[in-house]
Amino acid sequence: MASEEPLLFLSDQDLEALNIQPSEVADAIESALIAKADGRLHTSPKTAILPGDGRYAMSTLAVGEDGFIVVKQVTVCPDNPAKGLPAINGAIMVMDAQTGVLRAVLGANWITAVRTAALSAVAARRLPILTLRQ
């Protein structure tokens, strides 16, 4: 059996320490949206479960031409702050698209917060173009 590459784990603190700039995240999101429009990125509809008490669990799945399958799971638990925990928690699994082998696990809290803001930035970038076309 071939030796396996070590599994990479990046916590939210590790991701934040990388000092990735918001503009870099916005650029990556814009590239992903273009890839999706061109049929080079495939995503499933968001799946959500509402188990009660205001809790919400959501999962998404994507496969791109980069050779990876990415699964994101985020859970919102509104009672968590009273327990000293963040209300939103999650993880992202990155797998090899050809073999299904797990390659990385990332914390999803930092990514979710930055992605949400960056998606708004991409929309703001494109708004003048959309307005001019009308």
Side-chain angles (χ1 to χ4, degrees), residues 33-59:
L33 291 169
I34 292 167
K36 183 165 175 49
D38 291 345
R40 296 178 287 116
L41 174 67
H42 307 280
T43 61
S44 66
K46 185 185 296 186
T47 301
I49 297 173
L50 297 120
D53 301 331
R55 292 176 293 133
Y56 171 86
M58 179 276 305
S59 294

Side-chain angles (χ1 to χ4, degrees), residues 6-8 13 18-19 22 44 47-48 56 69 87 103 109 113 133:
L7 177 66
L8 176 64
Q13 293 78 17
L18 292 174
N19 293 318
S44 66
T47 301
Y56 171 86
I69 298 170
R103 294 293 183 207
N109 295 15
R133 288 183 181 170

Side-chain angles (χ1 to χ4, degrees), residues 25-112:
V25 177
D27 291 346
I29 288 172
E30 190 166 12
S31 293
L33 291 169
I34 292 167
K36 183 165 175 49
D38 291 345
R40 296 178 287 116
L41 174 67
H42 307 280
T43 61
S44 66
K46 185 185 296 186
T47 301
I49 297 173
L50 297 120
D53 301 331
R55 292 176 293 133
Y56 171 86
M58 179 276 305
S59 294
T60 57
L61 170 67
V63 179
E65 61 186 10
D66 60 1
F68 295 106
I69 298 170
V70 179
V71 179
K72 178 182 175 188
Q73 197 286 319
V74 173
T75 303
V76 177
C77 299
D79 294 339
N80 275 3
K83 301 172 188 173
L85 299 169
I88 300 172
N89 290 290
I92 297 170
M93 294 187 311
V94 180
M95 293 160 285
D96 183 286
Q98 295 302 312
T99 65
V101 172
L102 182 62
R103 294 293 183 207
V105 176
L106 313 172
N109 295 15
W110 180 86
I111 291 171
T112 299

Side-chain angles (χ1 to χ4, degrees), residues 14-26 28 110-111 114:
D14 294 332
L15 292 164
E16 187 172 2
L18 292 174
N19 293 318
I20 300 168
Q21 297 302 304
S23 62
E24 293 175 285
V25 177
W110 180 86
I111 291 171
V114 172

